[in-house]
Amino acid sequence: MHLNTQAVHAGYTIEKEFGSVSQPIILSTTFERENGVPREHIYTRSENPNRISLETKLAILEGGAEAIAFASGQAAAYAAFQAILEPGAHVLIPDDCYHGIRSLLSQVYQGWQINAEEVDMSVVSNVADAIRPETQLIWIETPTNPKLKIFDIQAIAKLGAEKGITVACDNTWATPFFQRPFELGCDLVMHSTTKYFGGHSDILGGALILKEKGALGARLRSIQSAGGGVPSPFDCWLLNRSLATFPLRMPVHASNAQVLAQFLHGKPAIERVYYPGLPSHPNHEVAKRQMQHGFGGMLSIEVKGGKEKAIQLAEHLQIFAHATSLGGVESLIEHRRTAEGANPRSPDNLLRISVGIEFIGDLVADFEQALGKL
């Protein structure tokens, strides 16, 4: 079925007892046994009808064999590292990746002596040169956060397959609407479902989706249950509801971002625009080849005049809220460096923009008036 149909119907059939078209929320933490024998469910930490429905839908939308839901994107990434890595492992991560991933490997896994090597993956030969005998994971994030680098997923996945290395892709920014990592050879896809899947800035969640069922999936499922970092039934229900409109929201995010990026490109007060849909983007041709239906709803800009001017611009905006996170229906802007906590990497003058689904004329006008005040 088409993605739009799957987003509405996958994972749920009409409830039998009352004929409920809308999925009921099963809040119970425990389930009755018959003659001492468990029925389909036992205990909500291990499984819950709302979570099973959500996981079924996520796997179908991403084109995978199995999905495993977590309480946050970071919890999902933590589980992936726990399942794949051994003490002393070598991991390749992008040189411009989400700061939380870098912190997770360097701080939480500090006792494991994990060697997380940062690589500019926009040059495939850099990845090939960095692979070692002890490399156990190649972690792709494309577009990257916050500079929107684009990596050739197919070429990197081929390198991993040749060496027997697991290749995982954080597909949060692109989503399966624009980018299909499994079709390009990846083994595992990660999402912060808080973002575009949730779409309304009111659900915290994460997910891992596997290309094939097998030992890795079983290990991840064990970590999910034993570790207990699971989403609540209500959050699963909310996310399931949000996913029904996911394929309708994404084209608007992308078309708005494209127009805004073109508007900002070349403006005297703007030093640089990062958006893969611009021909000036250094990885534009790769993005055109592997991204479908558009280039996503995220962009970043560098403002002339440093941190002071960047923050001034953000504060002058009236529609764009100056706030962390992304992927909601409302437009957000963030001074990225001040949001990165300890050891920030982003330039002082960089603003990360999550373009919402408002009328694009209003978004452009908002930037026009804000730029006029600098």
Side-chain angles (χ1 to χ4, degrees), residues 324-361:
T324 294
S325 200
L326 58 103
V329 292
E330 68 288 316
S331 291
L332 303 176
I333 192 164
E334 175 187 60
H335 183 252
R336 188 63 195 149
R337 188 175 180 88
T338 55
E340 289 177 345
N343 305 311
R345 298 286 189 88
S346 295
D348 260 347
N349 65 336
L350 186 141
L351 295 173
R352 191 186 72 181
I353 304 169
S354 174
V355 187
I357 64 171
E358 303 95 337
F359 175 60
I360 185 57

Side-chain angles (χ1 to χ4, degrees), residues 281-345:
H281 190 287
N283 313 126
H284 177 65
E285 292 303 316
V286 178
K288 278 202 306 182
R289 186 171 69 248
Q290 74 182 18
M291 298 185 79
Q292 310 166 6
H293 315 304
F295 300 94
M298 296 298 299
L299 62 108
S300 292
I301 58 175
E302 291 184 11
V303 182
K304 291 179 181 176
K307 177 181 178 180
E308 182 181 354
K309 287 294 184 183
I311 292 178
Q312 282 181 14
L313 176 59
E315 294 300 321
H316 288 323
L317 290 164
Q318 297 171 357
I319 297 175
F320 289 78
H322 192 174
T324 294
S325 200
L326 58 103
V329 292
E330 68 288 316
S331 291
L332 303 176
I333 192 164
E334 175 187 60
H335 183 252
R336 188 63 195 149
R337 188 175 180 88
T338 55
E340 289 177 345
N343 305 311
R345 298 286 189 88

